[in-house]
């Protein structure tokens, strides 16, 4: 208990950093992932190709390498950005590839007749996608989409390796102060469980509200 | 009622629908063979034929839901472009009712009818809702407007689908086997709505197995077999004096049941 209460400020502060990383990256990755999914089903070959290359590249690269690139390479190649922002960019780009594939899976569950009815009414491709197909697709993939976001939440700890102030680095800070690493890790694990619970509840709520029966 | 004369036939305005030399293949299968078809303003044309005869493809080719390999399709004198915004605009003038209803599953009945007028035509939401309520009332679904499609029976869903198409104030309505997916006891309510539309002067192309509707509301019967239009005549002469062996064969099969 001393490990926690002796360092409560640090503990809460670091989890604040985790939540910050997660919330921003979650929003960016969801938006980017949906855009990528739209590109991958678009009638324009160049768009489809871009989407495919993006997903192949980002999904097949270990997250550590993606973050390495942004933490070390980005500043050298382009311009200076704080580590926190670089971590957000890396996590968002990486997670967006997974969001894209989940949403694309959802799109394939929407019957062709839904889009046909939209076309027959004179709606354009973007309108059909945005008003008819995507809303149904996203609703049908709430459980896997939540899993991707939970993975993102836990992946934020990788950013600790790049000096971002977040929960994954808590045990090291404790270790430096002579505290028990093991106990610190247990507290961090507990913290993550507490953070994931509301996500699960949110998923259930949305599933119930959005259940599209056919 | 087969003796009623075809409206618009004598006028000089262009036909509402004109297909000329339309061809379509599915792989090796030649599903539409040099189709020429004109539908006058206010005319109700019923397309009959055995399954696989190409009648559904013909119907879907009219608004290019089914791309064609050759030939032209004109709606009210305007050539249907192959794709793009102009095609979408022309499609919005052509109402379509599908065999599987295809109501938007995530929207309420009211929102199903309101969506296209607001998004395609830029009608205000309040006005679109008011018109949607009137249309739903006309097809007898007014009380269900806040429900979702899955909560309605097949017959009710199909009537909503008709209201959804009518909300765009289309020049012509296409019906692609509108009663084929319905339980028998629900066919009547949908046919009733369609007959009402025909009576009000709507131009209609109806692919159906409902001989009752064909006899009662059609001005013309087009009989298709093997991708060709084999007969194009009045319902009365088609049913009582079919000219071809293929039509007699088809009628023998469906009428003896």
């Amino acid at each position: 208990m001393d490990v926690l209460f002796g360092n409560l400020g640090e503990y809460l502060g670091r989890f604040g950093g985790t939540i910050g990383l997660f919330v921003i990256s979650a929003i960016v990755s969801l938006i980017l992932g949906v855009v990528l999914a739209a590109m991958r089903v678009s009638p324009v070959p160049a768009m489809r190709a871009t989407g495919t290359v993006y997903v192949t590249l980002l999904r097949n690269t270990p997250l550590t390498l993606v973050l390495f690139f942004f933490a070390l390479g980005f500043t050298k190649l382009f311009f200076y950005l704080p580590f926190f922002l670089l971590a957000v960019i890396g996590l968002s780009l990486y997670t967006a590839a997974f969001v894209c594939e989940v949403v694309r899976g959802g799109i394939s569950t929407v019957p062709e007749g839904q889009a046909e009815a939209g076309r027959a009414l004179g709606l354009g491709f973007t309108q059909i996608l945005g008003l008819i197909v995507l809303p149904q697709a996203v609703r049908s993939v709430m459980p896997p989409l939540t899993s991707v976001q939970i993975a993102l939440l836990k992946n934020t700890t990788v950013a600790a390796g790049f000096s971002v102030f977040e929960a994954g680095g808590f045990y090291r800070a404790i270790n430096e102060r002579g505290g028990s690493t093991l106990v610190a890790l247990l507290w961090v694990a507990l913290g993550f469980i507490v953070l994931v619970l509301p996500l699960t509840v949110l998923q259930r709520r949305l599933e119930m509200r959005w259940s599209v029966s056919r | 009622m087969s003796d009623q004369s075809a409206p618009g036939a004598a006028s000089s305005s262009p036909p509402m629908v004109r297909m000329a030399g339309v061809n379509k293949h599915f792989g090796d299968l030649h599903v539409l063979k040099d189709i020429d078809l004109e539908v006058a303003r206010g005319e109700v044309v019923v397309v009959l034929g055995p399954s696989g005869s190409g009648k559904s493809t013909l119907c879907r080719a009219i608004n290019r839901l089914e791309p064609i390999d050759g030939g032209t399709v004109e709606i009210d004198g305007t050539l249907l472009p192959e794709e793009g915004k102009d095609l979408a605009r022309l499609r919005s003038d052509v109402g379509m009712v599908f065999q599987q209803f295809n109501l938007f599953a995530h929207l309420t009945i009211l929102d199903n009818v309101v969506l296209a007028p607001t998004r395609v035509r830029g009608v205000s939401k309040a006005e679109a809702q008011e018109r949607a309520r009137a249309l739903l009332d006309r097809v007898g679904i007014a009380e269900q407007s806040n429900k979702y499609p899955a909560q309605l029976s097949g017959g009710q869903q199909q009537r909503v689908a008709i209201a959804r198409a009518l909300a765009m104030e289309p020049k012509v309505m296409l019906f692609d086997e509108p009663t084929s997916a319905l339980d028998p006891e629900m066919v009547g309510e949908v046919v009733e709505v369609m007959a009402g539309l025909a009576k009000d002067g709507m131009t209609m192309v109806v692919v159906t197995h409902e001989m009752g509707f064909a006899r009662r509301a059609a001005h013309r019967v087009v009989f298709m077999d093997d991708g060709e239009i084999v007969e194009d005549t009045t319902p009365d002469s088609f049913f009582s004096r079919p000219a071809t062996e293929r039509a007699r064969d088809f009628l023998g099969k469906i009428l003896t049941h």
Side-chain angles (χ1 to χ4, degrees):
Chain A
M1 280 297 173
D2 279 355
V3 170
L4 181 65
F5 290 114
N7 304 284
L8 198 60
E10 168 122 16
Y11 182 79
L12 294 179
R14 280 182 176 276
F15 264 107
T18 297
I19 293 171
L21 271 180
F22 166 69
V23 170
I24 303 174
S25 307
I27 293 169
V28 177
S29 69
L30 283 171
I31 294 171
L32 182 59
V34 168
V35 171
L36 283 166
M39 286 171 72
R40 292 204 68 176
V41 298
S42 103
V44 185
M47 290 251 221
R48 282 205 302 275
T50 311
T52 310
V53 169
Y54 180 99
V55 169
T56 312
L57 216 60
L58 269 292
R59 200 165 61 143
N60 297 358
T61 312
L63 175 61
T64 318
L65 290 187
V66 175
L67 286 183
F68 249 124
F69 169 78
F70 281 97
L72 305 174
F74 187 87
T75 307
K76 264 194 191 137
L77 288 173
F78 304 105
F79 47 86
Y80 170 80
L81 278 180
F83 275 141
F84 181 84
L85 221 52
L86 290 171
V88 165
I89 296 172
L91 286 166
S92 303
L93 294 185
Y94 177 80
T95 310
F98 291 88
V99 171
C100 166
E101 288 305 274
V102 167
V103 172
R104 199 164 64 99
I107 288 174
S108 65
T109 69
V110 180
E112 177 62 23
Q114 296 282 307
E116 267 189 359
R119 278 209 294 280
L121 286 166
L123 294 165
F125 174 79
T126 326
Q127 288 177 316
I128 291 170
L129 201 61
L131 297 170
I132 298 163
V133 176
L134 278 176
Q136 294 185 48
V138 169
R139 283 161 205 217
S140 73
V141 293
M142 275 317 284
L145 205 52
T146 310
S147 296
V148 168
Q149 294 301 323
I150 289 173
L152 164 66
L153 174 59
K154 297 191 285 191
N155 282 341
T156 55
T157 54
V158 178
F162 307 97
S163 327
V164 176
F165 190 69
E166 56 75 63
F170 182 64
Y171 75 95
R172 243 176 294 165
I174 295 305
N175 192 27
E176 278 162 25
R177 287 171 210 171
S180 163
T181 310
L182 190 64
V183 175
L185 277 175
L186 283 175
W187 280 114
V188 171
L190 191 68
F192 272 102
I193 290 170
V194 170
L195 282 187
V196 170
L197 281 175
L199 284 181
T200 319
V201 173
L202 182 69
Q203 176 203 329
R204 292 245 173 82
R205 283 265 169 91
L206 290 178
E207 264 184 88
M208 293 227 281
R209 216 177 95 188
W210 282 348
S211 60
V212 178
S213 42
R214 293 193 191 280
Chain B
M1 244 198 265
S2 51
D3 57 346
Q4 52 189 293
S5 62
S11 83
S12 60
S13 60
M16 193 54 93
V17 178
R18 172 196 237 129
M19 305 177 90
V22 170
N23 276 286
K24 163 91 188 168
H25 295 79
F26 284 128
D28 287 339
L29 205 64
H30 199 171
V31 280
L32 293 181
K33 295 174 183 164
D34 288 318
I35 298 291
D36 296 311
L37 179 69
E38 288 189 6
V39 181
R41 200 174 303 266
E43 198 176 21
V44 177
V45 174
V46 165
V47 184
L48 299 175
S51 62
S53 60
K55 55 191 193 302
S56 236
T57 312
L58 173 105
C59 182
R60 292 162 54 86
I62 294 176
N63 65 354
R64 289 241 163 146
L65 276 188
E66 207 69 71
I68 54 177
D69 306 333
T72 56
V73 180
E74 284 172 32
I75 302 292
D76 200 13
T78 312
L79 195 68
L80 217 58
E82 276 179 33
E83 52 191 82
K85 283 208 165 66
D86 291 338
L87 176 60
R89 196 168 42 77
L90 272 171
R91 271 181 181 153
S92 69
D93 288 334
V94 182
M96 177 131 194
V97 175
F98 300 87
Q99 183 176 354
Q100 299 294 342
F101 330 133
N102 292 348
L103 292 180
F104 304 130
H106 64 303
L107 297 179
T108 63
I109 297 310
L110 188 68
D111 287 340
N112 261 277
V113 184
V114 163
L115 183 77
T118 54
R119 298 293 178 154
V120 177
R121 292 271 159 80
V123 176
S124 78
K125 196 163 184 191
E127 194 190 329
Q129 284 182 341
E130 197 186 313
R131 268 174 32 198
R133 290 214 173 80
L135 282 168
L136 288 171
D137 194 39
R138 179 171 166 191
V139 299
I141 314 280
E143 276 81 53
Q144 324 270 357
S145 62
N146 290 318
K147 289 189 178 171
Y148 287 87
Q151 295 171 293
L152 267 56
S153 74
Q156 289 172 326
Q157 287 192 55
Q158 195 60 299
R159 284 184 280 153
V160 174
I162 294 172
R164 178 176 68 176
L166 289 176
M168 295 298 282
E169 297 176 334
K171 294 175 176 173
V172 49
M173 287 279 285
L174 310 176
F175 293 82
D176 184 8
E177 305 209 20
T179 56
S180 300
L182 295 175
D183 291 334
E185 75 270 24
M186 291 170 185
V187 170
E189 63 196 58
V190 172
V191 167
E192 212 48 53
V193 171
M194 289 165 59
L197 274 181
K199 210 172 132 205
D200 291 350
M202 176 62 77
T203 311
M204 296 163 71
V205 176
V206 184
V207 175
T208 187
H209 296 291
E210 278 311 303
M211 298 306 146
F213 177 80
R215 280 179 192 279
R216 185 175 149 201
H219 301 114
R220 254 165 78 199
V221 167
V222 167
F223 173 70
M224 286 188 74
D225 192 18
D226 202 21
E228 295 171 312
I229 293 180
V230 179
E231 291 199 31
D232 185 346
T233 179
T234 64
D236 189 41
S237 85
F238 179 75
F239 286 113
S240 50
R241 299 178 300 279
T244 59
E245 188 54 46
R246 285 197 271 186
R248 277 193 291 277
D249 188 45
F250 172 74
L251 284 171
K253 275 178 190 147
I254 53 160
L255 295 181
T256 49
H257 281 285

